[in-house]
Amino acid sequence: MKGRAALSATVGLVVIGVVSANAEEKPAFAGNGTFRVGPDIKPGTYRTAGNTGGSCHWERAKDAGHGLGSLIAKGDVTGTAVVTIGAKDTYFKTSGCGDWKKTG
């Protein structure tokens, strides 16, 4: 009987571990807004499923102006987008993209 109790406890732990490993990952930030790199979001690579019914717009900028002289990179996509935000970026602006998840 002791062998069965130990086996049951072990199987229970394995199942819990598998469920935890497959849990849905929380988004790093929402798909609309202007975020300051450092205090609001960390540098790294982010992915969004995007907006299948419209355009997902994003901008990496070196200052809050988001004018032509401020832009580092920008994109307009329908569907999935992957963006790497650099440590020297100051702002990241996103509109219509859905939630962003950190991938790297």
Side-chain angles (χ1 to χ4, degrees):
M1 191 63 163
K2 288 182 183 179
R4 284 187 181 183
L7 179 60
S8 296
T10 302
V11 171
L13 290 174
V14 171
V15 171
I16 291 169
V18 170
V19 171
S20 297
N22 291 328
E24 182 67 26
E25 184 182 335
K26 291 183 180 181
F29 56 95
N32 293 315
T34 301
F35 303 91
R36 186 161 173 123
V37 179
D40 298 332
I41 59 174
K42 302 297 177 208
T45 301
Y46 295 85
R47 180 183 186 276
T48 180
N51 183 347
T52 58
S55 181
C56 161
H57 177 80
W58 59 267
E59 298 177 1
R60 293 173 42 223
K62 55 186 171 185
D63 61 46
H66 289 278
L68 289 177
S70 172
L71 289 179
I72 297 168
K74 68 177 185 169
D76 287 292
V77 298
T78 300
T80 302
V82 176
V83 177
T84 299
I85 300 170
K88 293 185 179 181
D89 295 2
T90 305
Y91 287 92
F92 182 72
K93 182 177 179 180
T94 175
S95 176
C97 295
D99 293 340
W100 291 87
K101 295 181 180 179
K102 196 165 192 306
T103 62

